[in-house]
Amino acid sequence: MSSTVSIIGTSVLALLLAGYMAQKYGLPAPPPKIVGVDLGTTFSSIGVYHAVSGDTQIIADGLGKRSIPSVVGFLANGSVLIGHRAVEQQEKNPLRTIYDAKRFIGKTFSEDDPQFIADKERYPFTIKLFENGSAYFEIPLSNSIKTVTPEQVGGIIIAYLKSAVEKEKKTPISQVVISVPAEFDEVQRNATAKAASHAVMEVRRIISEPTAAALAYGLHKKKGVEYIVVVDLGGGTLDVSVLWLQGGVFVTQAMAGNNRLGGQDFNDRVQHHLTNHIEEKYGKKVDDKEDLQQLRLAVEEAKIRLTTFPKAVISLNLKDLDSFNYVLTRDEFESINAELFDQITEPIAAALEDAHIGTQDVDEIVLVGGSTRMPRVRKLVGSYFNRTPNYGIDPELAVVTGASVQAGVIGGGWPLQVAAMELPSKQRKRHIYADKHIPSGGCSI
Ligand SMILES: *[C@@H]1O[C@H](CO)[C@@H](O)[C@H](O)[C@H]1NC(C)=O
Ligand SMILES: *[C@@H]1O[C@H](CO)[C@@H](O)[C@H](O)[C@H]1NC(C)=O
Ligand SMILES: *[C@@H]1O[C@H](CO)[C@@H](O)[C@H](O)[C@H]1NC(C)=O
């Protein structure tokens, strides 16, 4: 017993000493040993925890990006492109560019499952099933057919992230804390661990994404926090979790979601509004592929601008039409999307109901996912709970930040933190589907 204590004592002392030396003499901090990874459906990222300063650092790839598209492209000669480079060639190489692999990880399907049939039609690449029902992707190369599993795709992405850290920190990294959606069952969690093992990394812990988001804001160290609601509005889905925090242990009490409500839906409505406007005012139907692509990008840009400015100018240069500008105000954006904004509170109410608590019982609210940048979302959630949500951390990096904090805790970072633990959830997720109106004039490829 006493020898254990002294070993711990010595290592703490060593860390304290390292910290002191680093601060006094500007010596380099001890290199990180464990990293945090957010392996997301659309974007992934990796971070480290700095033992001396207590800061987390999210590491950029060679292109300077900290959010890496979870996209892997294979070339006919077998070369592999990852992240933004894979996205750049996606349009020219649809059969060999895999995205959304996480949706298939650790799941089994049957050939006649309508959901699986719909997925097969939805994706340009080929999806097949092993005899046991696990999915895999079939990629035609110039001289052969390559098969890759969703775990292998995940492994390729993790290996890419890992190499970015190794380059930046000039140290080999072999251990990881990885985040998964709260509703992932044990099979899906194991499959995620397998993805990491394909990247030759040992998984020290798997934590759920909402718990990671709460850790990013240091809520595990905050006094008097018992119930936390995490609202995650991403590109295509809304997920709400109720966490219960007791003595440094997080328990997921309830989950609810709408997997047909995300940033893209807001864009679709604005795009529909604009195509109607163009048709009414100029008598032009926008149906050309390049025109639509231009419109789509302009709408996304305007949405981002409206998160900080009250208006955005959409400049279009469509075929058979003089170039023209449309001034979109934030008020107009919000009224075009009023119905979607209204739907945000539905899963929140459902999750609170399942957790048997009311809004007044909630101590902290955390916003994650890029779409929570829309000011209206912040206001809406804030007024629903009658308190200000946590939103200071880049909402796309909150999960990886929390995974990195957890990695720091496990790696014995200094200053010592309250060890955050998580109990596996027995809860089932409640799904709320709203009718998704795909605007007829719009385009949703
Ligand atoms: C495969 O082709 C790409 C571009 O066509 C090239 O950059 C790459 O070096 C090639 N890879 C191999 C292994 O030959
Ligand atoms: C199903 O079989 C494939 C190929 O043999 C294997 O890679 C995969 O791990 C199996 N899945 C399960 C859930 O056992
Ligand atoms: C998941 O992995 C753990 C550890 O390797 C193992 O004990 C457990 O049986 C696995 N669970 C499932 C459902 O495969």
Side-chain angles (χ1 to χ4, degrees):
M1 190 69 188
S2 71
S3 73
T4 320
V5 170
S6 78
I7 287 169
I8 294 171
T10 310
S11 66
V12 168
L13 223 98
L15 275 163
L16 281 170
L17 197 63
Y20 174 78
M21 302 283 272
Q23 269 160 8
K24 179 140 194 190
Y25 302 107
L27 295 180
K33 292 194 179 66
I34 313 179
V35 289
V37 163
D38 171 9
L39 182 64
T41 307
T42 46
F43 286 96
S44 296
S45 39
I46 192 163
V48 296
Y49 180 84
H50 288 294
V52 175
S53 63
D55 293 337
T56 48
Q57 182 190 1
I58 311 309
I59 308 292
D61 69 357
L63 302 173
K65 308 283 189 186
R66 298 193 298 169
S67 271
I68 312 304
S70 304
V71 181
V72 173
F74 297 87
L75 302 182
N77 64 12
S79 280
V80 183
L81 299 170
I82 300 134
H84 286 92
R85 290 227 162 80
V87 172
E88 278 164 15
Q89 54 87 62
Q90 186 164 19
E91 218 171 321
K92 286 181 299 178
N93 194 20
L95 298 181
R96 301 193 199 97
T97 306
I98 311 296
Y99 58 95
D100 276 3
K102 184 178 174 180
R103 294 192 55 218
F104 300 92
I105 213 162
K107 279 207 209 164
T108 52
F109 304 86
S110 67
E111 291 287 1
D112 52 8
D113 173 358
Q115 181 65 51
F116 180 67
I117 293 168
D119 279 344
K120 269 171 81 151
E121 282 170 11
R122 192 155 96 96
Y123 292 106
F125 44 82
T126 305
I127 310 166
K128 294 202 166 169
L129 296 180
F130 289 118
E131 253 173 40
N132 60 18
S134 295
Y136 67 96
F137 311 110
E138 208 172 73
I139 294 140
L141 301 183
S142 44
N143 300 317
S144 59
I145 302 262
K146 186 179 177 69
T147 64
V148 281
T149 62
E151 291 83 357
Q152 285 169 329
V153 174
I156 292 169
I157 295 165
I158 295 170
Y160 177 82
L161 295 168
K162 171 186 164 178
S163 76
V165 173
E166 291 179 334
K167 211 177 262 172
E168 161 97 20
K169 297 292 164 200
K170 300 186 177 62
T171 181
I173 302 277
S174 60
Q175 298 180 27
V176 63
V177 170
I178 194 163
S179 59
V180 294
E183 80 252 28
F184 261 28
D185 61 19
E186 199 180 321
V187 177
Q188 289 169 297
R189 283 166 197 250
N190 281 5
T192 304
K194 195 163 172 196
S197 77
H198 283 305
V200 202
M201 293 197 97
E202 180 201 346
V203 174
R204 290 294 303 272
R205 191 167 296 168
I206 288 180
I207 62 170
S208 80
E209 290 163 7
T211 298
L215 289 175
Y217 283 98
L219 300 183
H220 57 300
K221 294 185 295 186
K222 205 164 163 180
K223 286 221 158 53
V225 175
E226 196 176 347
Y227 283 103
I228 302 166
V229 170
V230 180
V231 177
D232 180 350
L233 185 60
T237 58
L238 168 64
D239 288 297
V240 178
S241 310
V242 176
L243 306 179
W244 184 55
L245 180 55
Q246 256 324 312
V249 180
F250 286 92
V251 184
T252 305
Q253 292 284 28
M255 293 172 270
N258 181 343
N259 61 7
R260 298 177 193 180
L261 181 62
Q264 193 51 47
D265 300 288
F266 292 84
N267 291 23
D268 286 349
R269 294 212 174 195
V270 174
Q271 188 174 327
H272 179 57
H273 174 83
L274 281 172
T275 50
N276 278 350
H277 170 80
I278 293 166
E279 196 171 341
E280 275 167 28
K281 190 152 179 209
Y282 305 95
K284 178 182 159 61
K285 248 191 151 46
V286 186
D287 45 15
D288 177 81
K289 232 178 130 180
E290 284 171 27
D291 280 354
L292 282 168
Q293 177 67 5
Q294 190 191 137
L295 192 57
R296 214 171 292 141
L297 293 175
V299 166
E300 172 70 14
E301 259 174 45
K303 179 178 75 177
I304 292 169
R305 188 168 170 83
L306 290 176
T307 62
T308 26
F309 300 98
K311 63 182 176 192
V313 181
I314 298 177
S315 296
L316 294 171
N317 217 328
L318 305 179
K319 286 177 190 154
D320 323 318
L321 202 69
D322 285 340
S323 59
F324 72 96
N325 294 337
Y326 185 94
V327 179
L328 182 68
T329 64
R330 191 188 287 168
D331 286 345
E332 190 180 12
F333 176 85
E334 291 177 357
S335 85
I336 292 169
N337 285 309
E339 207 185 339
L340 296 180
F341 284 117
D342 285 346
Q343 290 170 11
I344 290 174
T345 51
E346 286 172 29
I348 300 179
L352 292 179
E353 188 184 308
D354 285 359
H356 307 293
I357 58 169
T359 51
Q360 72 285 353
D361 301 313
V362 175
D363 303 300
E364 296 282 344
I365 304 122
V366 176
L367 297 182
V368 285
S371 301
T372 61
R373 286 205 185 91
M374 292 187 279
R376 181 103 196 104
V377 175
R378 226 139 66 194
K379 261 184 249 156
L380 232 147
V381 176
S383 66
Y384 187 82
F385 287 98
N386 198 21
R387 69 178 55 222
T388 311
N390 292 281
Y391 62 84
I393 298 173
D394 181 339
E396 265 156 325
L397 300 178
V399 169
V400 69
T401 300
S404 306
V405 168
Q406 181 66 276
V409 169
I410 295 171
W414 183 85
L416 290 175
Q417 303 231 359
V418 178
M421 294 283 293
E422 188 180 30
L423 285 183
S425 174
K426 302 259 182 293
Q427 301 299 324
R428 290 203 65 80
K429 181 171 171 181
R430 186 132 53 116
H431 292 277
I432 291 164
Y433 301 103
D435 275 340
K436 182 167 180 170
H437 306 291
I438 296 178
S440 52
C443 176
S444 51
I445 303 172

